[in-house]
Amino acid sequence: NSFINIGYGDTPSRVLNNLATMVQTPISCVSLTGGVNYYLPDTRSNVFNAKLYLMPAPLLASSREMAAAMRKEASVTEISRMVHLASVSVIGIGAMHESATVIRSGILSRNDFLYLSMKGAAGDILCHFMDKSGELIDSPVEERLISTPLHTLRELKNVIGVAAGEAKVEAIRATLKGRYINILITDEPTAASLAQEPPGEGGEA
């Protein structure tokens, strides 16, 4: 009878679809961001045993004024309140790489991505871009975003980050420094790369 928060991204989507095909009783999942289609069952799911509570808004609005108005909608604030009731959260960690989900899905243009790179972005969580220290980067993209704030993510218990690959090492390290996750699920080569350089003060997860 617990709720599970699910973040935006390819890996959390796979986690959701696998869970929904494995469980005997339906699971209840709450979306941490806008962008309804990112949370729907994929074509490989013959059985999808989950009840979805989705934020009825796009992940990225056309303007900051539109984003601000959508965040105030009752249907959006209701899901935002439910986020705090979940017993566990699963999020992905995005890298500053051309294969990033935000690029492949067309959410951000390559120019937006380049701009964020030039601002010092090391990666993103829930499409919030952060620098190497894990601090949020102020940008026009952030102003248009409809997503659970990073300070809220810090307040949640049992936040699981799922990410692997050499391209994501810098982004994972920034996530650890920002203290956004309690548990990291990764592969051995990625863990070995992370261990080569300690996250530093405040970077333990």
Side-chain angles (χ1 to χ4, degrees), residues 8 38 59-62 94-117 121 123-130 137 139-146:
Y8 155 81
Y38 308 122
L59 176 58
L60 202 64
S62 57
M96 299 304 293
H97 192 269
E98 59 184 15
S99 63
T101 304
V102 288
I103 292 291
R104 289 188 287 106
S105 60
I107 295 169
L108 294 183
S109 69
R110 294 190 180 277
N111 285 341
D112 287 331
F113 209 60
L114 178 61
Y115 172 80
L116 287 161
S117 296
D124 79 280
I125 307 171
L126 306 179
C127 218
H128 295 290
F129 285 84
M130 56 193 167
I137 288 178
S139 74
V141 170
E142 182 66 27
E143 295 174 347
R144 295 163 49 207
L145 192 61
I146 301 173

Side-chain angles (χ1 to χ4, degrees), residues 32-53:
L32 286 167
T33 73
V36 172
N37 58 310
Y38 308 122
Y39 296 95
L40 299 179
D42 64 27
T43 54
R44 296 162 294 182
S45 297
N46 297 321
V47 178
F48 192 80
N49 206 5
K51 186 171 184 180
L52 303 177
Y53 297 88

Side-chain angles (χ1 to χ4, degrees), residues 35-100:
V36 172
N37 58 310
Y38 308 122
Y39 296 95
L40 299 179
D42 64 27
T43 54
R44 296 162 294 182
S45 297
N46 297 321
V47 178
F48 192 80
N49 206 5
K51 186 171 184 180
L52 303 177
Y53 297 88
L54 304 178
M55 202 174 285
L59 176 58
L60 202 64
S62 57
S63 66
R64 65 180 180 180
E65 292 80 12
M66 181 68 74
M70 287 182 177
R71 291 190 201 108
K72 294 177 182 177
E73 285 292 324
S75 55
V76 173
T77 58
E78 182 181 349
I79 298 298
S80 297
R81 286 197 298 267
M82 291 181 70
V83 164
H84 294 273
L85 303 177
S87 58
V88 66
S89 304
V90 179
I91 65 168
I93 300 170
M96 299 304 293
H97 192 269
E98 59 184 15
S99 63

Side-chain angles (χ1 to χ4, degrees), residues 138-159:
D138 186 28
S139 74
V141 170
E142 182 66 27
E143 295 174 347
R144 295 163 49 207
L145 192 61
I146 301 173
S147 176
T148 301
L150 288 183
H151 64 79
T152 298
L153 195 64
R154 276 198 185 114
E155 297 168 0
L156 299 177
K157 297 179 180 179
N158 302 320
V159 179

